[in-house]
Amino acid sequence: MKSRKTMGENDLKDLTQMLLNEAESYLVEEVSESRAKALRYYEGRNPDPLPIIKGRSKMVVTEVRDTIEWILPDLVKIFTSGDEVVSIDPQGTEDTLDADVAEDWINYVIMRMNPGFMNTYTWIKDALISKTGFIKQYWHQKEVRDRQDFEGLTDEEYEYLNSSEDYEVTDARKVVAWADLSGEWHEGEPEDGDEVALFDGVPAYESSWEVTGYKVSTESDIIEECIPPEELLFLADTKAIPHKCRFLAHETEMTLAELRDLFPDQDI
């Protein structure tokens, strides 16, 4: 019996890079020019492009753009005109409540949590112009920092706060105060020769902590956004995305701030 070889991390990286290069080549050599020509038709520019010959008519026909702009509102209306963008039918009567809850939640995610109307509009327009339109949905987690300051903390409370994973201490100061025999309070440690008053036999001495910091928490959102057709890479043998597609990649440019937000644990 032959043992099945397990793919290592380097093997996976090499395979991914090979498929990425193949998809990029297909995009540049086959798809990009077709999309550019379609865009020239939409913009009413010379689509082929034909040479400019003296005496030839310079009339521009915008039938492609006019047709797209004419049918676009009706297509968008199909998806966004009703109260419910998504309808979920239960399999049986016992699923009715779960189906209703899921339906309300999905409609909320699409239309309230995300700009559902604009996503639909852009998605359909991309498809009409470039023959393909994409909406990407993903789970996004972000770190939320809420400024919270504390005064009058005991040593135990300060140690607990300082060791907490949910709170980041940015500045801490121990405040010490003591009372002299006249009952007047002084800030700081008593010096040699200072007489500390006694209250019920206990020295009038107090210490506490003032802390500045942030409560750190994580918020999660479901993000839906339109992907420009030129940013989505796929292979030449792709029949349907994503069901009949061996390889799919989203390649985009990002700022350093966006990368740091996506990978907070990395030193970027």
Side-chain angles (χ1 to χ4, degrees), residues 87-98:
S87 178
I88 299 178
D89 296 326
Q91 290 291 100
T93 55
E94 70 279 2
D95 301 322
T96 301
L97 179 60
D98 290 339

Side-chain angles (χ1 to χ4, degrees), residues 39-79:
L39 183 61
R40 290 196 294 269
Y41 269 109
Y42 175 79
E43 293 177 341
R45 294 187 287 125
N46 191 349
D48 291 311
L50 297 172
I52 298 177
I53 300 176
K54 185 177 181 180
R56 176 177 288 175
S57 172
K58 296 181 180 180
M59 177 182 177
V60 176
V61 178
T62 59
E63 288 184 356
V64 173
R65 180 175 62 197
D66 296 341
T67 302
I68 290 176
E69 296 299 331
W70 176 63
I71 65 175
L72 183 59
D74 289 335
L75 292 176
V76 174
K77 186 178 180 180
I78 293 174
F79 292 94

Side-chain angles (χ1 to χ4, degrees), residues 196-261:
V196 181
L198 297 176
F199 294 155
D200 296 331
V202 179
Y205 180 90
E206 295 180 352
S207 66
S208 63
W209 287 90
E210 292 180 355
V211 178
T212 300
Y214 294 88
K215 181 175 177 58
V216 182
S217 60
T218 301
E219 289 186 358
S220 301
D221 296 311
I222 300 175
I223 304 298
E224 284 190 332
E225 58 185 9
C226 284
I227 301 300
E230 64 272 13
E231 290 186 359
L232 204 71
L233 305 177
F234 48 88
L235 301 178
D237 60 356
T238 298
K239 302 299 182 183
I241 297 175
H243 308 294
K244 296 181 180 180
C245 179
R246 290 193 299 123
F247 178 78
L248 192 65
H250 179 204
E251 187 175 64
T252 186
E253 292 185 355
M254 295 183 127
T255 64
L256 283 175
E258 290 171 329
L259 285 174
R260 293 183 180 120
D261 182 52

